[in-house]
Amino acid sequence: IILAIMPEVNHGEGRKLRALKKGVARIAFRAEEENDFNLGLQILPVGIDYSNYINFRNSLFVNFGKTFTLSEFETIYKENPPKAFLLFNEKLKNELSQLMIDIQNDEYYDTYYKLSKLYNARMREKLGFRKNNIKNRFFAGKNIISLLDTISTNKPETLIWLKDKVDRLYEGLNRFNIRSWVIERKRYSYILLFFESLLQIIFLPIHIYGLVTNYIPYKIPVWATRKIKDKQFVSSVKYVILLVIFVIFYLIEYFIFSFFTDSLWLQNIFLLSLPLAGYFTIENWILFKKLRAKWIYNFAMSRKNKKMVELIDLRKEIIRKLDSTEHE
């Protein structure tokens, strides 16, 4: 029998492990007690990481740890159950913390989180990770959090300095409406930018077709979840609504289209094209936003925009500081 339990028994924003409740310990010890501690119950800690927990089409990394049994707590439990619960939770907490991005510094949480993204490529390079996938980004992020914890303990003034620089950097990025990855290069090739722009124009009819046929069912869950205060419920509510709305909407569009042609072949092609066009439009929109950011950056650099140059220098300064701190 496999039983999956969320030991925090609550949810909240932020990549951090919250206090564990005693529910897991009570269930586990009760099961072993009823079997004279011969059940051999296995506890498997599991951590998760994600690129975005609200929007769909994002990545999820499930990180499995090593199993452990209750044998090491048996004697303590028979003498003092509450103490056994406490020790069990402490062990489980330590195991889970190693399997997830666990930012416990509340005061500098935003700084930790932003640096885990900003310094991630550099850390992957140092760790010898060639692929830019969610697994490698996770382990690089873990190393960055560990580095920042060391800085917080040994050189708190450096963390204050980093916070100031990071805040200024992201304020500037927000003014230009671009992300930090955009300024990692000196400039983007105009030939490639023109080619990508040409592709956007060529595929614009497909983009518009996907937008028209999918916009309303795509937006209904967005409108429906705007007033939900607890963001952790947003993705679940969206998912349920999408399952229903898209099926209904596609059937309506299919029946409308069937009035204009009796060809069953064309009708089926149209029905199949609806989700494919919708998928294309979403992916193409992401590419368009990235292309737009690159053009903004190139134009700013061609004009030697002082604000953009300052952002580039800020980013380099932060990277150098972390590099030097790591080697101290």
Side-chain angles (χ1 to χ4, degrees), residues 50-271:
Y50 45 83
S51 54
N52 189 301
Y53 66 87
I54 293 180
N55 298 328
F56 75 107
R57 292 285 302 145
N58 283 280
S59 302
L60 175 68
F61 176 57
V62 181
N63 195 15
F64 294 93
K66 296 181 179 180
T67 60
F68 64 92
T69 66
L70 303 186
S71 58
E72 62 184 284
F73 308 104
E74 179 181 352
T75 302
I76 300 173
Y77 176 76
K78 291 178 179 179
E79 296 174 355
N80 189 340
K83 184 178 180 181
F85 293 160
L86 184 64
L87 293 175
F88 172 87
N89 270 7
E90 190 64 29
K91 181 179 180 66
L92 182 58
K93 176 183 176 182
N94 292 334
E95 293 292 329
L96 288 172
S97 180
Q98 298 302 314
L99 300 170
M100 59 182 286
I101 298 296
D102 186 16
I103 304 174
Q104 291 295 326
N105 193 325
D106 293 331
E107 183 179 359
Y108 291 95
Y109 178 87
D110 287 340
T111 304
Y112 271 60
Y113 179 70
K114 290 172 181 176
L115 284 174
S116 72
K117 303 296 182 184
L118 182 66
Y119 196 62
N120 202 281
R122 178 66 171 157
M123 182 59 78
R124 292 199 307 273
E125 180 184 341
K126 291 184 175 184
L127 294 174
F129 295 157
R130 295 183 179 181
K131 294 183 178 180
N132 178 19
N133 54 39
I134 190 170
K135 179 181 178 180
N136 290 344
R137 290 195 298 271
F138 167 79
F139 285 110
K142 287 290 292 182
N143 278 270
I144 294 169
I145 301 305
S146 177
L147 172 62
L148 293 174
D149 281 337
T150 301
I151 293 173
S152 177
T153 301
N154 300 330
K155 291 189 174 182
E157 68 281 359
T158 299
L159 192 58
I160 296 173
W161 182 92
L162 285 169
K163 181 183 185 305
D164 176 66
K165 298 295 183 180
V166 168
D167 288 346
R168 286 169 53 192
L169 173 63
Y170 276 83
E171 285 173 7
L173 291 171
N174 290 335
R175 282 196 296 270
F176 282 101
N177 194 23
I178 60 176
R179 296 187 178 183
S180 60
W181 63 266
V182 179
I183 64 174
E184 291 180 4
R185 297 187 184 182
K186 291 183 179 180
R187 191 169 297 182
Y188 294 89
S189 167
Y190 278 106
I191 295 176
L192 290 178
L193 290 182
F194 277 115
F195 179 71
E196 290 176 20
S197 300
L198 179 61
L199 288 178
Q200 285 286 332
I201 295 173
I202 292 173
F203 289 108
L204 183 60
I206 300 177
H207 181 90
I208 294 175
Y209 172 70
L211 182 66
V212 171
T213 55
N214 288 270
Y215 183 79
I216 293 179
Y218 176 80
K219 276 296 184 178
I220 286 177
V222 177
W223 298 328
T225 55
R226 280 180 177 175
K227 294 184 179 181
I228 296 180
K229 295 181 180 180
D230 194 336
K231 292 183 178 181
Q232 279 66 45
F233 286 118
V234 170
S235 58
S236 299
V237 175
K238 277 185 177 180
Y239 179 73
V240 174
I241 295 176
L242 283 171
L243 285 178
V244 178
I245 292 298
F246 267 100
V247 172
I248 295 174
F249 213 84
Y250 283 166
L251 288 176
I252 292 174
E253 290 179 319
Y254 174 78
F255 285 123
I256 292 175
F257 183 79
S258 65
F259 284 111
F260 296 94
T261 178
D262 294 328
S263 173
L264 185 61
W265 181 78
L266 285 177
Q267 292 173 5
N268 290 335
I269 289 295
F270 173 75
L271 183 61

